[in-house]
Amino acid sequence: VQLQASGGGLVQAGGSLRLSCAASGRTFSTYGMGWFRQAPGKERELVAAITWGGGSTYYADSVRGRFTISRDNAKNTLYLQMNSLKSEDTAVYYCATAQGGWGPRTAYAGWGQGTLVTVSS
């Protein structure tokens, strides 16, 4: 599965953005998926994850209640709705496929090109 994230941009604090991750290939629906972010000078972190069918989700404490992960397997697309954005959400956001499971304790692969989100205060 090849992945391409899009939808980033510049937004004021308190605003919203919706990221999309388009996947190629016919196996997208068989993978758990995750959204990661990496801020300058910081390690990449998992912010949200979802099972292959979308029935279960995981959120990092820093985004829970503000971000929503979802997927449309018919469109081979993963989404991340980001509301109430804060300056600390500024980062490059990546999507990735879970390898053999899903959630924070699973390995991920297939990062692809990320999309930059900049939140101005």
Side-chain angles (χ1 to χ4, degrees):
V1 177
Q2 291 187 322
L3 305 170
Q4 178 64 57
S6 62
L10 175 63
V11 63
Q12 289 188 332
S16 298
L17 280 175
R18 189 194 196 198
L19 305 184
S20 297
C21 172
S24 63
R26 291 178 290 181
T27 59
F28 171 76
S29 62
T30 66
Y31 286 98
M33 298 293 296
W35 280 103
F36 289 75
R37 67 186 180 188
Q38 187 165 21
K42 295 187 177 180
E43 294 187 354
R44 185 167 54 196
E45 62 170 339
L46 177 67
V47 296
I50 191 167
T51 53
W52 66 270
S56 296
T57 56
Y58 159 87
Y59 296 96
D61 289 343
S62 58
V63 307
R64 187 175 294 114
R66 301 188 296 121
F67 290 11
T68 302
I69 188 172
S70 62
R71 67 190 297 164
D72 185 337
N73 286 341
K75 296 183 178 179
N76 274 12
T77 304
L78 177 74
Y79 302 101
L80 186 67
Q81 178 66 45
M82 306 186 296
N83 298 329
S84 302
L85 283 163
K86 306 175 181 179
S87 57
E88 51 262 45
D89 294 318
T90 294
V92 177
Y93 285 71
Y94 302 87
C95 52
T97 55
Q99 304 298 299
W102 78 286
R105 295 179 180 82
T106 299
Y108 286 81
W111 302 96
Q113 186 172 354
T115 186
L116 176 62
V117 173
T118 304
V119 183
S120 63
S121 57

